[in-house]
């Protein structure tokens, strides 16, 4: 992942530099002084970089339309400016269409690679966030289980042990234990304890009915 991110950054830097020099020269040819000409490509290509990152961050939200608008506008101006500069500086040996097509590659690559870099960076940060959430959830579970575990320890120390099975579960239930505490003490699942207690209640009712009939 790190290699991919570093590679995309280098490619983006190269594409930005090629586009920057072409647009800066076009700005000088358009009448801007040498002191101000460099700011024009910085603004145009800077919009592409910032808007691409914003598109990735705001993906799926209602506010995403605005960075998309800036992204398309910046890309259109950059591609047109690079192509126009290539046409103005092309020699008779190079077809104008070819010169314009070659000059349009850097801003398009800058657009694509910036988007890819944003996606890779965001994807790389997700495992760390997921791991932190799992650790937090585990800590919450430990805190939630602490009272139950304390109850089991205290009850085991203060009462006589019981045999594992429906009778033992019923005895612990009569002492006021919860199904979860009973399950931890007997080493079974809480659903098993619930089934044992239901069966025990059913058997007790049948015995009472037989006693009443007799």
């Amino acid at each position: 992942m790190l290699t991919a991110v570093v590679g995309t950054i280098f490619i983006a830097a190269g594409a930005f530099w090629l586009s920057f020099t072409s647009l800066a020269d076009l700005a000088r040819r358009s009448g801007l002084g040498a002191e101000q000409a460099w700011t024009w490509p910085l603004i145009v290509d800077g919009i592409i970089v910032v808007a691409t990152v914003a598109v990735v961050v705001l993906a799926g939200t209602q506010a995403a339309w605005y960075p998309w608008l800036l992204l398309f506008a910046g890309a259109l101006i950059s591609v047109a400016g690079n192509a126009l500069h290539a046409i103005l500086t092309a020699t008779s040996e190079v077809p104008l269409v070819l010169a314009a097509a070659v000059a349009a590659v850097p801003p398009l690559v800058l657009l694509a690679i910036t988007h890819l870099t944003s996606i890779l960076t965001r994807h790389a940060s997700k495992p760390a966030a997921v791991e932190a959430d799992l650790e937090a959830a585990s800590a919450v579970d430990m805190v939630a289980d602490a009272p139950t575990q304390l109850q089991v320890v205290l009850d085991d120390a203060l009462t006589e042990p019981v045999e594992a099975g429906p009778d033992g579960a019923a005895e612990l239930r009569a002492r006021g234990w919860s199904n979860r505490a009973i399950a931890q003490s007997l080493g079974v699942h809480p659903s098993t304890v619930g089934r044992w207690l239901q069966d025990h209640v059913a058997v007790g009712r049948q015995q009472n009915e037989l006693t009443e009939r007799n």
Side-chain angles (χ1 to χ4, degrees):
M1 180 65 70
L2 179 60
T3 303
V5 173
V6 173
T8 56
I9 292 175
F10 274 109
I11 294 174
F16 183 86
W17 176 247
L18 289 176
S19 179
F20 180 89
T21 54
S22 296
L23 293 179
D25 186 53
L26 180 63
R28 285 191 295 268
R29 291 173 182 269
S30 301
L32 291 178
E35 296 80 8
Q36 293 84 27
W38 66 272
T39 61
W40 194 71
L42 186 63
I43 294 172
V44 174
D45 288 339
I47 289 178
I48 295 178
V49 175
V50 175
T52 302
V53 175
V55 164
V56 175
V57 173
L58 299 177
T61 64
Q62 294 181 352
W65 68 270
Y66 186 65
W68 274 113
L69 178 63
L70 294 179
L71 179 60
F72 282 121
L76 181 61
I77 295 173
S78 183
V79 171
N82 278 272
L84 182 59
H85 177 264
I87 293 175
L88 292 175
T89 58
T91 63
S92 58
E93 299 176 356
V94 180
L96 296 181
V97 176
L98 177 60
V102 172
V105 171
L108 293 177
V109 170
L110 177 62
L111 171 62
I113 209 68
T114 304
H115 188 74
L116 178 60
T117 304
S118 300
I119 294 176
L120 289 175
T121 305
R122 187 176 183 182
H123 180 74
S125 63
K126 285 184 177 180
V130 172
E131 183 177 354
D133 291 341
L134 291 176
E135 291 179 356
S138 177
V140 171
D141 291 340
M142 291 178 62
V143 172
D145 290 342
T148 301
Q149 294 174 351
L150 180 60
Q151 177 188 2
V152 173
V153 172
L154 292 176
D155 287 345
D156 284 343
L158 298 175
T159 61
E160 295 295 330
V162 297
E163 60 177 334
D167 294 337
E171 182 178 347
L172 293 177
R173 183 64 175 175
R175 297 177 186 176
W177 286 37
S178 66
N179 288 8
R180 190 172 186 177
I182 297 172
Q184 290 184 353
S185 178
L186 301 182
V188 297
H189 195 271
S191 62
T192 303
V193 174
R195 187 175 64 253
W196 283 350
L197 294 178
Q198 289 179 355
D199 294 341
H200 189 273
V201 171
V203 171
R205 288 178 179 176
Q206 291 178 357
Q207 292 177 350
N208 291 335
E209 291 177 356
L210 292 175
T211 301
E212 291 176 358
R213 290 179 183 178
N214 295 332

